Amino acid sequence: MERKKVTIAELQQKKMAGEKITMMTAYDYPTGSLVDQAEIDTILVGDSLGMVMLGYDSTVPVTMDEMIHHCKAVSRGVHCSFIIGDMPFMSYQVSVEQAIENAGRFMKEGACDSVKLEGGSEMASVVKAIVTAGIPVCGHIGLTPQTATKLSGFKVQAKDAKSAQQLEKSAKDLEEAGAFMIVMECIPDLVAARITRELNIPTIGIGAGKDCDGQVLVYHDLVGLFERFTPKFVKQYINLSPQIKEALVQFKSDVEKGAFPGPEHIFTMKPEEAEKI
Ligand code: KIV
């Protein structure tokens, strides 16, 4: 059967049926295409691209134009997975009007199916305004990397009862504001399980235990292409960096020894034509 574009209704049905939802980040055409071919439900063009693709120290410097550039590339390679564009720092905080305008760019220019933004109860009115404008919004609570400085670093959140209750309130406020899904990052598994039970919309965990409705990982972590650090919650399925480095070293050596290009890589002329030169 021909696979069709994943819809929000299907993601919701998966939650109801207790079927897990999959999400993977992608930042370019070939990766978008591979993730789509792997039939992963949703693709997040995450602002993590600032660190894993652009070499920034955090996601804070990422701009709207950078995000749109990468969303365009991903969406060209994707036919069925549901694409979520990640709104960068300060693209939705300054005013509701600017938030709607920037969310609109993800849909019109980036060819995304929805947007994601970080923040809890304090962002509910912005989420509501974007949803009212006709753009589906995915929330993101717990460790929110754009405001890691305010959280005093990349730390597990909601570790005590009071902050766990606040987080649950945030999740409920985002659901009420119209979010169709919520990413929960770096929180204790019990807190994530409780929020997942309490909400009608799906939750996607990253460092939030196994009881979320789905899981997301950063592609570069999964395939071993980001060497600066590996968070505890990452499962590396393949370690590509050493293999790619080895191939590059081999190429250099082959060129230097004259072993590349070989006869099979060379275009030749008919001898009678060669004689005329
Ligand atoms: O930017 C990103 O990749 C994310 C995930 C870590 C959820 O927000």
Side-chain angles (χ1 to χ4, degrees):
M1 205 173 65
E2 203 195 325
R3 210 176 146 236
K4 292 207 184 100
K5 185 83 184 174
V6 172
T7 63
I8 291 175
E10 280 161 16
L11 300 174
Q12 186 65 44
Q13 277 156 18
K14 280 201 161 190
K15 175 177 176 111
M16 297 309 165
E19 289 169 30
K20 292 290 184 189
I21 298 168
T22 48
M23 182 189 285
M24 183 54 49
T25 68
Y27 315 106
D28 56 25
Y29 169 83
T31 312
S33 175
L34 288 173
V35 176
D36 192 55
Q37 288 171 52
E39 303 195 2
I40 299 224
D41 297 310
T42 61
I43 293 182
L44 172 65
V45 187
D47 65 350
S48 49
L49 68 82
M51 297 176 77
V52 301
M53 295 287 289
L54 305 179
Y56 296 137
D57 287 335
S58 78
T59 57
V60 169
V62 177
T63 65
M64 270 302 296
D65 286 345
E66 285 167 340
M67 289 306 303
I68 297 296
H69 173 80
H70 287 274
C71 286
K72 280 181 177 174
V74 170
S75 57
R76 283 184 210 116
V78 174
H79 301 290
C80 299
S81 302
F82 186 88
I83 306 175
I84 304 169
D86 208 3
M87 298 193 72
F89 187 54
M90 283 300 137
S91 69
Y92 54 95
Q93 292 91 340
V94 176
S95 71
V96 168
E97 290 73 20
Q98 201 184 63
I100 297 173
E101 202 174 310
N102 282 328
R105 285 191 65 194
F106 276 94
M107 310 291 280
K108 287 167 74 89
E109 297 173 46
C112 292
D113 302 305
S114 65
V115 297
K116 172 170 89 58
L117 57 83
E118 295 183 5
S121 304
E122 74 286 2
M123 281 300 152
S125 58
V126 178
V127 169
K128 191 170 181 181
I130 298 175
V131 173
T132 305
I135 300 169
V137 179
C138 175
H140 183 160
I141 57 172
L143 173 59
T144 44
Q146 292 174 7
T147 44
T149 311
K150 193 172 144 195
L151 302 174
S152 299
F154 289 82
K155 291 181 181 159
V156 178
Q157 300 296 304
K159 280 167 77 177
D160 57 67
K162 190 169 169 227
S163 49
Q165 279 161 3
Q166 275 166 1
L167 197 74
E168 189 173 323
K169 164 106 174 53
S170 277
K172 286 183 175 165
D173 286 348
L174 291 174
E175 175 173 89
E176 205 182 312
F180 73 95
M181 191 154 73
I182 298 183
V183 168
M184 302 194 293
E185 181 165 353
C186 275
I187 59 171
D189 58 349
L190 277 181
V191 178
R194 195 183 144 83
I195 294 176
T196 300
R197 267 197 317 273
E198 290 289 316
L199 293 190
N200 295 309
I201 56 173
T203 61
I204 304 293
I206 176 159
K210 63 179 181 52
D211 292 322
C212 302
D213 296 310
Q215 297 289 330
V216 58
L217 279 179
V218 168
Y219 173 81
H220 285 59
D221 291 335
L222 176 122
V223 299
L225 276 179
F226 185 64
E227 295 185 297
R228 266 157 60 191
F229 61 88
T230 306
K232 172 183 161 80
F233 56 73
V234 166
K235 179 169 176 183
Q236 193 183 77
Y237 285 79
I238 184 170
N239 191 7
L240 288 182
S241 287
Q243 294 183 47
I244 293 173
K245 258 182 263 171
E246 180 49 37
L248 295 169
V249 167
Q250 197 66 51
F251 166 75
K252 174 178 153 66
S253 159
D254 279 358
V255 171
E256 287 171 354
K257 289 191 311 224
F260 176 81
E264 69 276 31
H265 307 117
I266 290 170
F267 303 105
T268 54
M269 283 176 104
K270 288 185 180 144
E272 59 272 27
E273 289 301 321
E275 266 170 30
K276 292 183 208 159
I277 298 175

PDB file of all heavy atoms in Angstrom, residues 23 25 27 44-49 59 86 116 118 140 145 183 185 206 216 218, ligand 1:
ATOM      1  N   MET A  23       9.994  10.135  16.269  1.00  0.00           N
ATOM      2  CA  MET A  23      10.400  11.458  15.766  1.00  0.00           C
ATOM      3  C   MET A  23      11.924  11.459  15.647  1.00  0.00           C
ATOM      4  O   MET A  23      12.621  10.897  16.506  1.00  0.00           O
ATOM      5  CB  MET A  23       9.963  12.564  16.731  1.00  0.00           C
ATOM      6  CG  MET A  23      10.307  13.965  16.261  1.00  0.00           C
ATOM      7  SD  MET A  23      10.012  15.241  17.523  1.00  0.00           S
ATOM      8  CE  MET A  23       8.257  15.392  17.511  1.00  0.00           C
ATOM      9  N   THR A  25      15.331  14.095  14.260  1.00  0.00           N
ATOM     10  CA  THR A  25      15.700  15.379  13.672  1.00  0.00           C
ATOM     11  C   THR A  25      16.324  15.141  12.292  1.00  0.00           C
ATOM     12  O   THR A  25      16.890  14.079  12.022  1.00  0.00           O
ATOM     13  CB  THR A  25      16.715  16.163  14.543  1.00  0.00           C
ATOM     14  OG1 THR A  25      17.952  15.475  14.542  1.00  0.00           O
ATOM     15  CG2 THR A  25      16.208  16.357  15.956  1.00  0.00           C
ATOM     16  N   TYR A  27      18.217  17.823   9.045  1.00  0.00           N
ATOM     17  CA  TYR A  27      18.584  19.216   8.748  1.00  0.00           C
ATOM     18  C   TYR A  27      18.902  19.440   7.272  1.00  0.00           C
ATOM     19  O   TYR A  27      19.222  20.556   6.885  1.00  0.00           O
ATOM     20  CB  TYR A  27      19.813  19.620   9.580  1.00  0.00           C
ATOM     21  CG  TYR A  27      19.726  19.192  11.021  1.00  0.00           C
ATOM     22  CD1 TYR A  27      20.491  18.127  11.503  1.00  0.00           C
ATOM     23  CD2 TYR A  27      18.859  19.832  11.904  1.00  0.00           C
ATOM     24  CE1 TYR A  27      20.404  17.718  12.819  1.00  0.00           C
ATOM     25  CE2 TYR A  27      18.768  19.421  13.219  1.00  0.00           C
ATOM     26  CZ  TYR A  27      19.545  18.371  13.673  1.00  0.00           C
ATOM     27  OH  TYR A  27      19.446  17.963  14.971  1.00  0.00           O
ATOM     28  N   LEU A  44      11.698  16.455  12.970  1.00  0.00           N
ATOM     29  CA  LEU A  44      11.888  17.773  13.582  1.00  0.00           C
ATOM     30  C   LEU A  44      13.118  18.420  12.952  1.00  0.00           C
ATOM     31  O   LEU A  44      14.230  17.896  13.058  1.00  0.00           O
ATOM     32  CB  LEU A  44      12.104  17.615  15.096  1.00  0.00           C
ATOM     33  CG  LEU A  44      12.497  18.894  15.843  1.00  0.00           C
ATOM     34  CD1 LEU A  44      11.368  19.917  15.801  1.00  0.00           C
ATOM     35  CD2 LEU A  44      12.869  18.581  17.291  1.00  0.00           C
ATOM     36  N   VAL A  45      12.902  19.541  12.260  1.00  0.00           N
ATOM     37  CA  VAL A  45      14.044  20.347  11.821  1.00  0.00           C
ATOM     38  C   VAL A  45      14.387  21.204  13.041  1.00  0.00           C
ATOM     39  O   VAL A  45      13.861  22.310  13.228  1.00  0.00           O
ATOM     40  CB  VAL A  45      13.726  21.197  10.579  1.00  0.00           C
ATOM     41  CG1 VAL A  45      15.006  21.864  10.069  1.00  0.00           C
ATOM     42  CG2 VAL A  45      13.095  20.359   9.480  1.00  0.00           C
ATOM     43  N   GLY A  46      15.190  20.621  13.929  1.00  0.00           N
ATOM     44  CA  GLY A  46      15.447  21.222  15.238  1.00  0.00           C
ATOM     45  C   GLY A  46      16.465  22.346  15.151  1.00  0.00           C
ATOM     46  O   GLY A  46      17.354  22.339  14.294  1.00  0.00           O
ATOM     47  N   ASP A  47      16.353  23.286  16.100  1.00  0.00           N
ATOM     48  CA  ASP A  47      17.374  24.342  16.145  1.00  0.00           C
ATOM     49  C   ASP A  47      18.687  23.773  16.702  1.00  0.00           C
ATOM     50  O   ASP A  47      19.711  24.461  16.724  1.00  0.00           O
ATOM     51  CB  ASP A  47      16.901  25.577  16.917  1.00  0.00           C
ATOM     52  CG  ASP A  47      16.667  25.304  18.386  1.00  0.00           C
ATOM     53  OD1 ASP A  47      16.688  24.130  18.793  1.00  0.00           O
ATOM     54  OD2 ASP A  47      16.453  26.281  19.143  1.00  0.00           O
ATOM     55  N   SER A  48      18.668  22.486  17.102  1.00  0.00           N
ATOM     56  CA  SER A  48      19.918  21.804  17.451  1.00  0.00           C
ATOM     57  C   SER A  48      20.880  21.840  16.255  1.00  0.00           C
ATOM     58  O   SER A  48      22.078  21.598  16.414  1.00  0.00           O
ATOM     59  CB  SER A  48      19.642  20.349  17.866  1.00  0.00           C
ATOM     60  OG  SER A  48      18.808  19.707  16.916  1.00  0.00           O
ATOM     61  N   LEU A  49      20.369  22.145  15.072  1.00  0.00           N
ATOM     62  CA  LEU A  49      21.245  22.263  13.900  1.00  0.00           C
ATOM     63  C   LEU A  49      22.325  23.318  14.131  1.00  0.00           C
ATOM     64  O   LEU A  49      23.416  23.245  13.549  1.00  0.00           O
ATOM     65  CB  LEU A  49      20.440  22.565  12.624  1.00  0.00           C
ATOM     66  CG  LEU A  49      19.719  23.904  12.440  1.00  0.00           C
ATOM     67  CD1 LEU A  49      20.644  25.008  11.940  1.00  0.00           C
ATOM     68  CD2 LEU A  49      18.568  23.739  11.463  1.00  0.00           C
ATOM     69  N   THR A  59      22.135  26.756  20.967  1.00  0.00           N
ATOM     70  CA  THR A  59      21.125  27.008  19.925  1.00  0.00           C
ATOM     71  C   THR A  59      20.745  28.491  19.863  1.00  0.00           C
ATOM     72  O   THR A  59      20.035  28.897  18.941  1.00  0.00           O
ATOM     73  CB  THR A  59      19.849  26.171  20.209  1.00  0.00           C
ATOM     74  OG1 THR A  59      19.355  26.493  21.516  1.00  0.00           O
ATOM     75  CG2 THR A  59      20.137  24.684  20.132  1.00  0.00           C
ATOM     76  N   ASP A  86      11.405  24.093  13.955  1.00  0.00           N
ATOM     77  CA  ASP A  86      11.677  24.566  15.315  1.00  0.00           C
ATOM     78  C   ASP A  86      11.893  26.084  15.312  1.00  0.00           C
ATOM     79  O   ASP A  86      12.835  26.577  14.669  1.00  0.00           O
ATOM     80  CB  ASP A  86      12.961  23.859  15.800  1.00  0.00           C
ATOM     81  CG  ASP A  86      13.008  23.698  17.299  1.00  0.00           C
ATOM     82  OD1 ASP A  86      12.035  24.064  17.967  1.00  0.00           O
ATOM     83  OD2 ASP A  86      14.034  23.174  17.779  1.00  0.00           O
ATOM     84  N   LYS A 116       7.392  24.136  16.265  1.00  0.00           N
ATOM     85  CA  LYS A 116       7.588  23.828  17.683  1.00  0.00           C
ATOM     86  C   LYS A 116       8.180  25.066  18.346  1.00  0.00           C
ATOM     87  O   LYS A 116       8.978  25.767  17.726  1.00  0.00           O
ATOM     88  CB  LYS A 116       8.543  22.637  17.846  1.00  0.00           C
ATOM     89  CG  LYS A 116       8.952  22.375  19.303  1.00  0.00           C
ATOM     90  CD  LYS A 116       9.688  21.074  19.466  1.00  0.00           C
ATOM     91  CE  LYS A 116      11.194  21.165  19.300  1.00  0.00           C
ATOM     92  NZ  LYS A 116      11.877  22.118  20.223  1.00  0.00           N
ATOM     93  N   GLU A 118       9.631  26.522  22.430  1.00  0.00           N
ATOM     94  CA  GLU A 118       9.986  26.142  23.803  1.00  0.00           C
ATOM     95  C   GLU A 118       9.233  26.998  24.816  1.00  0.00           C
ATOM     96  O   GLU A 118       9.023  28.195  24.588  1.00  0.00           O
ATOM     97  CB  GLU A 118      11.499  26.303  24.018  1.00  0.00           C
ATOM     98  CG  GLU A 118      12.324  25.369  23.165  1.00  0.00           C
ATOM     99  CD  GLU A 118      13.828  25.479  23.429  1.00  0.00           C
ATOM    100  OE1 GLU A 118      14.237  26.218  24.356  1.00  0.00           O
ATOM    101  OE2 GLU A 118      14.589  24.821  22.695  1.00  0.00           O
ATOM    102  N   HIS A 140       7.275  22.389  23.912  1.00  0.00           N
ATOM    103  CA  HIS A 140       8.562  21.804  24.345  1.00  0.00           C
ATOM    104  C   HIS A 140       8.809  22.284  25.773  1.00  0.00           C
ATOM    105  O   HIS A 140       9.030  23.478  25.992  1.00  0.00           O
ATOM    106  CB  HIS A 140       9.674  22.256  23.389  1.00  0.00           C
ATOM    107  CG  HIS A 140      11.028  21.672  23.683  1.00  0.00           C
ATOM    108  ND1 HIS A 140      12.035  21.624  22.737  1.00  0.00           N
ATOM    109  CD2 HIS A 140      11.557  21.111  24.794  1.00  0.00           C
ATOM    110  CE1 HIS A 140      13.107  21.068  23.258  1.00  0.00           C
ATOM    111  NE2 HIS A 140      12.848  20.753  24.524  1.00  0.00           N
ATOM    112  N   PRO A 145      16.615  24.126  25.788  1.00  0.00           N
ATOM    113  CA  PRO A 145      17.992  24.561  25.537  1.00  0.00           C
ATOM    114  C   PRO A 145      18.157  26.052  25.242  1.00  0.00           C
ATOM    115  O   PRO A 145      19.186  26.636  25.582  1.00  0.00           O
ATOM    116  CB  PRO A 145      18.420  23.709  24.340  1.00  0.00           C
ATOM    117  CG  PRO A 145      17.561  22.492  24.431  1.00  0.00           C
ATOM    118  CD  PRO A 145      16.252  22.954  24.985  1.00  0.00           C
ATOM    119  N   VAL A 183       6.858  18.011  23.310  1.00  0.00           N
ATOM    120  CA  VAL A 183       8.165  17.376  23.554  1.00  0.00           C
ATOM    121  C   VAL A 183       8.542  17.653  25.009  1.00  0.00           C
ATOM    122  O   VAL A 183       8.397  18.777  25.491  1.00  0.00           O
ATOM    123  CB  VAL A 183       9.238  17.949  22.595  1.00  0.00           C
ATOM    124  CG1 VAL A 183      10.641  17.522  23.029  1.00  0.00           C
ATOM    125  CG2 VAL A 183       8.972  17.517  21.156  1.00  0.00           C
ATOM    126  N   GLU A 185      11.763  17.256  27.609  1.00  0.00           N
ATOM    127  CA  GLU A 185      13.209  16.973  27.568  1.00  0.00           C
ATOM    128  C   GLU A 185      13.803  16.925  28.977  1.00  0.00           C
ATOM    129  O   GLU A 185      13.566  17.834  29.799  1.00  0.00           O
ATOM    130  CB  GLU A 185      13.904  18.070  26.734  1.00  0.00           C
ATOM    131  CG  GLU A 185      15.412  17.849  26.620  1.00  0.00           C
ATOM    132  CD  GLU A 185      16.065  18.683  25.523  1.00  0.00           C
ATOM    133  OE1 GLU A 185      15.364  19.350  24.746  1.00  0.00           O
ATOM    134  OE2 GLU A 185      17.311  18.646  25.447  1.00  0.00           O
ATOM    135  N   ILE A 206      12.545  13.005  25.273  1.00  0.00           N
ATOM    136  CA  ILE A 206      13.990  12.933  24.999  1.00  0.00           C
ATOM    137  C   ILE A 206      14.634  13.056  26.380  1.00  0.00           C
ATOM    138  O   ILE A 206      14.567  14.117  27.017  1.00  0.00           O
ATOM    139  CB  ILE A 206      14.458  13.988  23.962  1.00  0.00           C
ATOM    140  CG1 ILE A 206      15.978  13.929  23.780  1.00  0.00           C
ATOM    141  CG2 ILE A 206      13.982  15.402  24.258  1.00  0.00           C
ATOM    142  CD1 ILE A 206      16.494  14.535  22.485  1.00  0.00           C
ATOM    143  N   VAL A 216      12.114  10.941  20.641  1.00  0.00           N
ATOM    144  CA  VAL A 216      12.887  11.662  19.630  1.00  0.00           C
ATOM    145  C   VAL A 216      14.364  11.611  20.009  1.00  0.00           C
ATOM    146  O   VAL A 216      14.708  11.592  21.195  1.00  0.00           O
ATOM    147  CB  VAL A 216      12.432  13.143  19.490  1.00  0.00           C
ATOM    148  CG1 VAL A 216      12.528  13.910  20.784  1.00  0.00           C
ATOM    149  CG2 VAL A 216      13.223  13.881  18.397  1.00  0.00           C
ATOM    150  N   VAL A 218      18.326  13.285  18.463  1.00  0.00           N
ATOM    151  CA  VAL A 218      19.022  14.114  17.472  1.00  0.00           C
ATOM    152  C   VAL A 218      19.785  13.161  16.546  1.00  0.00           C
ATOM    153  O   VAL A 218      20.537  12.292  17.006  1.00  0.00           O
ATOM    154  CB  VAL A 218      19.979  15.100  18.182  1.00  0.00           C
ATOM    155  CG1 VAL A 218      20.925  15.767  17.198  1.00  0.00           C
ATOM    156  CG2 VAL A 218      19.165  16.162  18.936  1.00  0.00           C
TER     157      VAL A 218
HETATM  158  O1  KIV B   1      16.311  21.186  18.455  1.00  0.00           O
HETATM  159  C1  KIV B   1      16.100  19.989  18.693  1.00  0.00           C
HETATM  160  O2  KIV B   1      16.677  19.080  18.085  1.00  0.00           O
HETATM  161  C2  KIV B   1      15.142  19.668  19.744  1.00  0.00           C
HETATM  162  C3  KIV B   1      15.109  18.246  20.220  1.00  0.00           C
HETATM  163  C4  KIV B   1      16.218  18.004  21.160  1.00  0.00           C
HETATM  164  C5  KIV B   1      13.788  17.893  20.796  1.00  0.00           C
HETATM  165  O3  KIV B   1      14.464  20.521  20.221  1.00  0.00           O
END
